[in-house]
Amino acid sequence: MKVLLIGATGNVGLRLVSALLTHGHNVVAHVRSVQKLESLLPESVYRQLSVIEGSAFDANSIKIAILDNNCDAVVNSAGLAAVTPWGKSDLPRIVAAVVEGARQAGAERKKPLRVWFLGGMGALQFPEANSLLSDHVPILLDHCRNLALLKSLPPNTLDWSMLCPSNMDPESSDFSVPTKSSHAKLTSSAQTPPLWKDSWLKHIPLIGKIIVIVMNITRYGTTLEQNADFIATDLETLDSPYIGTQVGIIDASK
Ligand SMILES: NC(=O)c1ccc[n+]([C@@H]2O[C@H](COP(=O)([O-])OP(=O)(O)OC[C@H]3O[C@@H](n4cnc5c(N)ncnc54)[C@H](OP(=O)(O)O)[C@@H]3O)[C@@H](O)[C@H]2O)c1
């Protein structure tokens, strides 16, 4: 598949470059600085990319990049959610531009485009309480707003999915292709965190549900490489089970 990757210079983006190439995709990288991308990747990997310099705020630049390069799919890893309630994040503006650019490209082709977005675990539905975490953890609010935007799109506008990881650690800073990882493939589920552990503690008044969420949450740390591989694997087909939903993941082997 030909994939437009927006935000290829970031933590997730660099691993996505290697994972997408390893899975046989063609990659068109959309970045703010071509020089920065070139400096971060091995020359043998950089040579395999088509690279476009542009702003992720610019829906028109995204639309043109999709149409001119005949891309089948888009992955957006640009932007970072705000950490504090008073923090400023470019992420909602970037997601709105990617949605608009991909929507227009799909409308021109008369076929909705396949698009992966990066979210956070707080955008999932928790068995204990739907939005408990995002009400208390400001870093997750941007992801919830972006999810609300995606869910408000009319049918057949965009074949979107939002990957919702907890914290992601790097395995290495080796971005060579093919990727080497000793970590397991992730286990996933639509909308909810997979393999959630229920507990009688949830019945404790006021704090019970929060305790169960906190007990569970530490189990959901994964690596940047595992998440990149998850998206690259999903894009091997356009027939994904995750179209139109947020996606929870866990490393079940830990
Ligand atoms: N890292 C984690 O543990 C974690 C956990 C859960 C969710 N997430 C989510 O995953 C996503 C990616 O995270 P990350 O750790 O890869 O972030 P990151 O390393 O900070 O990378 C952010 C990327 O966004 C690009 N960018 C920022 N503003 C831009 C703009 N205005 N126009 C174009 N590009 C822009 C940056 O480009 P430059 O290089 O040009 O600055 C960079 O490529 C975020 O949505 C984050 O909230 C991350």
Side-chain angles (χ1 to χ4, degrees), residues 41-136:
L41 288 172
E43 206 241 323
S44 59
V45 173
Y46 182 79
R47 253 192 290 119
Q48 297 181 55
L49 308 176
S50 304
V51 185
I52 297 169
E53 201 163 66
S55 166
F57 293 150
D58 185 350
N60 198 45
S61 150
I62 292 163
K63 171 189 159 189
I64 289 168
I66 295 166
L67 293 175
D68 283 1
N69 292 282
N70 221 3
C71 293
D72 311 287
V74 178
V75 182
N76 180 60
S77 60
L80 196 60
V83 179
T84 57
W86 56 89
K88 210 178 130 8
S89 164
D90 288 337
L91 186 61
R93 203 173 147 202
I94 290 172
V95 169
V98 175
V99 165
E100 189 51 23
R103 187 194 68 73
Q104 287 182 20
E108 234 167 83
R109 281 203 198 140
K110 303 195 177 358
K111 189 174 183 301
L113 221 85
R114 179 78 181 107
V115 189
W116 269 101
F117 294 90
L118 262 296
M121 198 170 171
L124 293 172
Q125 283 177 13
F126 287 85
E128 310 302 336
N130 269 358
S131 61
L132 194 61
L133 261 187
S134 46
D135 288 348
H136 289 82

Side-chain angles (χ1 to χ4, degrees), residues 6-16 30-33 36-37 40 54-58 76-82 89-91 93-95 117-121 139-140 142-143 146 163-170 222 224 227:
I6 304 166
T9 52
N11 288 318
V12 180
L14 287 163
R15 274 85 184 177
L16 276 165
H30 187 284
V31 287
R32 285 200 281 202
S33 162
K36 181 171 180 183
L37 183 66
L40 292 169
S55 166
F57 293 150
D58 185 350
N76 180 60
S77 60
L80 196 60
S89 164
D90 288 337
L91 186 61
R93 203 173 147 202
I94 290 172
V95 169
F117 294 90
L118 262 296
M121 198 170 171
I139 192 170
L140 304 172
D142 281 338
H143 296 309
N146 293 334
L163 188 64
C164 295
S166 180
N167 69 301
M168 296 181 277
D169 292 319
T222 54
L224 293 159
N227 286 274

